[in-house]
């Protein structure tokens, strides 16, 4: 693999490889391993790596239903493989950083990627309890702006990952309504039972408006502007550089876990980040600054967007796209109905919660409450009321049931 890419001389060989699991059952039940390599002679600087990260998806996943198997092994797991296989933006050209990939492939029900180890670059953000600091918010907004600006309108470009599909915003698949019309009604019922306080914040009026305007929401989720979105912009998917460069009030970043990357409205990424990672009072205090920072950076990277994507347009898009984290968590709840009904799993009494289930419960508590307040503060009910009433459900992928 390394020799084929010209990173290792023909006379040099890997003499040993020591692996350690650093993440098990992460995301869509992936396993992640850190591998330390030894060579017969020291490689030249900047060539063969001394560490690699191997991500394996799907090997031990057992699914009963054919539709689940098709979704997981044809759409979900291969999506990250497609991203790395198709994204050929040279580091010297790309204004954003993503992990160097050495190998990626999907074979039937096994999917694997071999990537660079980022520990020398920076530190991964906080996990499920994380609340982003102002510095982290600035860093991630700058990163997203660079990513979005670079790929804006470039889906057909030869170096773009053109076939990846955004599972959260649903900008691609016309089959979403068929897949999820059996998912969302039950998911909402589960949410009402499990998180009545969230419904109280959003308000019954807004919930009713949502239930009458699914087709309008789905249509607008599929309306330009489109660019490449990461799809899962949260703290534990971001590496922050060890040092801040002189004169900057943010750190350079590198995003990992591109499994739900796809083409959609850029405010889907922004809304998802606010809903997942920024405490309510902090977001209220910082929102205007962060949106101005984002717009300034997309215009710097792509000057053509100066007149096309105004701050007013951004805010208007965000009023709708802030529903993305709400749909995501609600879709997840569909797969937890039994636990909600029976007080088991993540919904067991506190003294009976396993560490893993405690994480799931806190993750949903924080995400739903942050998102509910975001929906309320931005006037999303008024925004969706502009669309025609229709009973069609919104684009929530049923695969969200596995996104923990």
């Amino acid at each position: 693999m390394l020799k084929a890419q010209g990173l290792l001389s023909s006379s040099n060989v890997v003499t040993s490889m020591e692996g350690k699991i650093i993440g098990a059952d992460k995301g869509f039940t992936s396993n992640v391993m850190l591998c330390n390599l030894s060579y017969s002679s020291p490689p030249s600087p900047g060539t063969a790596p001394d560490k690699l990260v191997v991500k394996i998806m799907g090997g031990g996943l057992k699914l009963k239903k054919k539709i689940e198997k098709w979704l997981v092994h044809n759409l979900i797991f291969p999506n990250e493989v497609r991203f790395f296989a198709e994204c050929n933006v040279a580091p010297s050209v790309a204004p954003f950083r993503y992990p160097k990939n050495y190998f990626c492939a999907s074979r039937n029900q096994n999917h694997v990627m071999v990537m660079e180890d980022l520990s020398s670059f920076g530190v991964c953000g906080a996990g499920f309890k994380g609340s982003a600091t102002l510095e982290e918010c600035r860093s991630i907004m700058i990163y997203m702006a660079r990513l979005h600006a670079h790929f804006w309108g470039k889906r057909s470009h030869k170096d773009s990952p053109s076939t990846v599909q955004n599972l959260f915003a649903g900008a691609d698949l016309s089959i979403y309504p068929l897949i999820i019309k059996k998912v969302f009604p039950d998911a909402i019922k589960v949410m009402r039972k499990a998180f009545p306080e969230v419904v109280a914040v959003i308000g019954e009026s807004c919930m009713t408006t949502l239930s009458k305007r699914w087709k309008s929401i789905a249509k607008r989720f599929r309306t330009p502007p489109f660019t490449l979105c990461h799809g899962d912009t949260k703290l534990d998917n971001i590496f922050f550089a060890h040092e801040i460069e002189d004169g900057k009030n943010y750190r350079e970043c590198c995003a990992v876990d591109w499994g739900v990357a796809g083409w959609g409205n850029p405010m889907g990424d922004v809304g998802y980040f606010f809903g997942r990672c920024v405490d309510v009072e902090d977001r209220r205090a910082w929102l205007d600054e962060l949106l101005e920072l984002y717009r300034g950076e997309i215009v710097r990277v792509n000057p053509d967007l100066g007149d096309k994507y105004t701050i007013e347009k951004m805010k208007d898009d965000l009023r709708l796209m802030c529903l993305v984290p709400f749909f995501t968590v609600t879709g997840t709840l569909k797969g937890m109905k039994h636990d909600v009904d029976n007080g088991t799993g993540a919904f067991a009494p506190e003294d009976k919660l396993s560490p893993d289930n405690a994480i799931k419960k806190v993750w949903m508590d924080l995400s739903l409450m942050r998102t509910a307040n975001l929906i309320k503060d931005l006037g999303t009910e008024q925004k969706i009321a502009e669309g025609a009433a229709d009973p069609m459900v919104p684009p929530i992928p049923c695969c969200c049931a596995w996104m923990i």
Side-chain angles (χ1 to χ4, degrees):
M1 174 184 75
L2 297 175
K3 289 181 178 180
Q5 298 180 43
L7 300 174
L8 195 63
S9 67
S10 58
S11 59
N12 204 351
V13 295
V14 176
T15 57
S16 68
M17 182 174 70
E18 180 183 353
K20 179 178 70 172
I21 297 293
I22 57 175
D25 296 328
K26 299 298 183 183
F28 291 125
T29 63
S30 303
N31 290 314
V32 183
M33 178 184 294
L34 177 65
C35 298
N36 294 287
L37 306 180
S38 299
Y39 299 92
S40 56
S41 60
S44 302
T47 55
D50 58 357
K51 295 181 180 180
L52 291 171
V53 172
V54 180
K55 184 174 183 180
I56 303 170
M57 302 174 292
L61 186 62
K62 296 180 180 179
L63 299 169
K64 296 180 180 179
K65 297 181 179 180
K66 290 183 179 180
I67 184 63
E68 291 178 347
K69 291 180 180 179
W70 183 89
L71 281 168
V72 167
H73 293 295
N74 290 276
L75 180 61
I76 299 172
F77 285 152
N79 201 57
E80 189 167 15
V81 172
R82 287 194 294 266
F83 171 81
F84 283 108
E86 298 174 12
C87 190
N88 296 308
V89 184
S92 59
V93 175
F96 65 97
R97 178 167 180 162
Y98 63 99
K100 177 178 175 59
N101 181 264
Y102 297 99
F103 175 81
C104 58
S106 289
R107 299 286 188 272
N108 298 319
Q109 296 185 9
N110 294 286
H111 317 271
V112 63
M113 291 165 295
V114 181
M115 301 168 285
E116 70 170 310
D117 169 46
L118 292 170
S119 60
S120 62
F121 166 78
V123 178
C124 188
F128 67 99
K129 288 186 178 180
S131 176
T133 66
L134 181 55
E135 179 190 286
E136 289 171 334
C137 287
R138 288 170 177 155
S139 303
I140 292 175
M141 293 297 283
I142 289 286
Y143 183 89
M144 288 191 294
R146 292 173 179 173
L147 171 70
H148 298 158
H150 179 80
F151 286 106
W152 198 284
K154 293 183 179 178
R155 186 167 191 172
S156 60
H157 193 276
K158 62 181 179 64
D159 291 330
S160 296
S162 58
T163 69
V164 295
Q165 296 175 314
N166 190 319
L167 300 180
F168 293 105
D172 280 324
L173 293 184
S174 59
I175 62 172
Y176 271 133
L178 298 176
I179 295 174
I180 57 144
K181 69 180 180 180
K182 295 183 180 180
V183 174
F184 192 70
D186 286 343
I188 283 292
K189 291 177 183 177
V190 176
M191 190 196 74
R192 286 181 177 276
K193 184 174 182 178
F195 298 100
E197 66 279 10
V198 172
V199 176
V201 172
I202 295 177
E204 284 293 344
S205 175
C206 185
M207 295 293 290
T208 300
T209 304
L210 277 167
S211 68
K212 293 180 178 179
R213 285 163 171 78
W214 300 135
K215 186 173 183 179
S216 173
I217 294 171
K219 181 178 180 181
R220 282 184 278 180
F221 270 28
R222 293 172 169 82
T223 302
F226 284 160
T227 186
L228 182 67
C229 297
H230 179 273
D232 198 11
T233 45
K234 58 184 181 182
L235 288 173
D236 45 353
N237 279 341
I238 303 292
F239 275 75
F240 297 90
H242 290 299
E243 303 293 337
I244 297 180
E245 296 180 12
D246 290 342
K248 294 182 178 180
N249 60 359
Y250 63 90
R251 295 176 188 267
E252 295 298 323
C253 295
C254 182
V256 298
D257 196 352
W258 292 82
V260 288
W263 298 83
N265 188 298
M267 289 299 105
D269 264 355
V270 174
Y272 184 84
F273 170 63
F274 286 147
R276 286 295 305 269
C277 301
V278 187
D279 277 346
V280 174
E281 293 304 322
D282 290 339
R283 187 258 307 156
R284 288 169 177 164
W286 304 337
L287 181 63
D288 288 342
E289 174 194 338
L290 295 175
L291 291 180
E292 290 285 357
L293 181 68
Y294 173 94
R295 185 175 184 277
E297 190 66 10
I298 64 167
V299 173
R300 184 192 70 80
V301 175
N302 189 341
D304 291 342
L305 297 177
D307 296 327
K308 295 179 181 178
Y309 209 47
T310 63
I311 193 72
E312 292 76 19
K313 173 61 174 170
M314 283 172 49
K315 289 181 177 180
D316 190 54
D317 283 352
L318 184 59
R319 291 173 67 200
L320 181 69
M321 301 308 294
C322 70
L323 290 171
V324 170
F326 173 74
F327 290 160
T328 304
V329 183
T330 305
T332 300
L333 279 171
K334 172 63 168 62
M336 308 177 85
K337 183 179 185 300
H338 179 273
D339 288 339
V340 173
D341 290 341
N342 294 278
T344 55
F347 298 91
E350 281 193 27
D351 60 341
K352 295 183 179 180
L353 278 175
S354 69
D356 182 56
N357 282 323
I359 289 173
K360 293 177 183 178
K361 185 61 163 57
V362 171
W363 170 75
M364 288 185 289
D365 278 337
L366 289 174
S367 296
L368 278 171
M369 192 54 69
R370 288 168 177 170
T371 301
N373 279 279
L374 182 63
I375 291 170
K376 179 181 177 181
D377 292 348
L378 295 182
T380 299
E381 179 181 359
Q382 291 73 31
K383 176 65 178 177
I384 58 179
E386 298 170 3
D390 194 287
M392 188 176 180
V393 290
I396 312 168
C398 59
C399 58
C400 285
W402 297 289
M403 174 54 82
I404 300 296

